Amino acid sequence: MPTERISKLLEDLRLLDPERYELVQALRKIILALDPSISEEVKYGGILFSAGQPFCGIFAYSKHVSLEFGAGASLPDKFKVLEGEGKLRRHIKLSSAHDIAAKHVREYLVLALKASATP
């Protein structure tokens, strides 16, 4: 059940851009289905997901949605879709629901969740 802050952020997004709203909702559904212990909160203008430790976030921009991984640099990038060059973070840019499957989003989410559980 989303908190009031999450509901407000989602409603604002739905009113501004229904297509990006649907993309964010599709990502949330995948993430929350990974494990019952996953929680979500609004932070830094997006939605951060944790399972004990934070492992990813969703941020909506004017032309795309970004799935961010705080420790993404340590994830294997088998499909070469992770973007970013910083020491730690990586992200996947998504422009449509088609990108979720095309960019193997679920596989990266599983890797990030597992990595966050490893000390």
Side-chain angles (χ1 to χ4, degrees):
M1 183 83 180
T3 66
E4 188 175 321
R5 289 187 72 204
I6 292 169
S7 295
K8 170 93 173 89
L9 183 128
L10 292 170
E11 181 61 13
D12 289 348
L13 182 57
R14 185 185 68 77
L15 293 171
L16 285 171
D17 190 328
E19 189 174 331
R20 278 187 299 134
Y21 167 80
E22 291 298 330
L23 185 51
V24 167
Q25 287 290 62
L27 289 169
R28 283 181 68 235
K29 183 178 178 182
I30 293 166
I31 294 166
L32 294 170
L34 293 174
D35 190 279
S37 71
I38 294 173
S39 62
E40 58 184 339
E41 67 176 320
V42 173
K43 206 167 192 178
Y44 312 117
I47 303 173
L48 294 187
F49 297 86
S50 300
Q53 294 289 327
F55 69 96
C56 74
I58 301 172
F59 297 86
Y61 296 99
S62 60
K63 301 207 184 305
H64 70 279
V65 171
S66 184
L67 176 61
E68 310 267 340
F69 301 101
S74 65
L75 297 177
D77 191 11
K78 176 179 168 182
F79 301 103
K80 307 293 183 216
V81 297
L82 292 176
E83 297 182 45
E85 307 210 357
K87 284 185 178 182
L88 300 174
R89 296 175 185 240
R90 296 291 181 271
H91 63 274
I92 300 173
K93 281 186 186 172
L94 306 158
S95 300
S96 69
H98 172 266
D99 287 344
I100 292 172
K103 295 188 176 186
H104 308 275
V105 165
R106 189 175 189 290
E107 291 177 57
Y108 285 94
L109 287 166
V110 168
L111 290 170
L113 179 60
K114 285 182 183 174
S116 75
T118 307

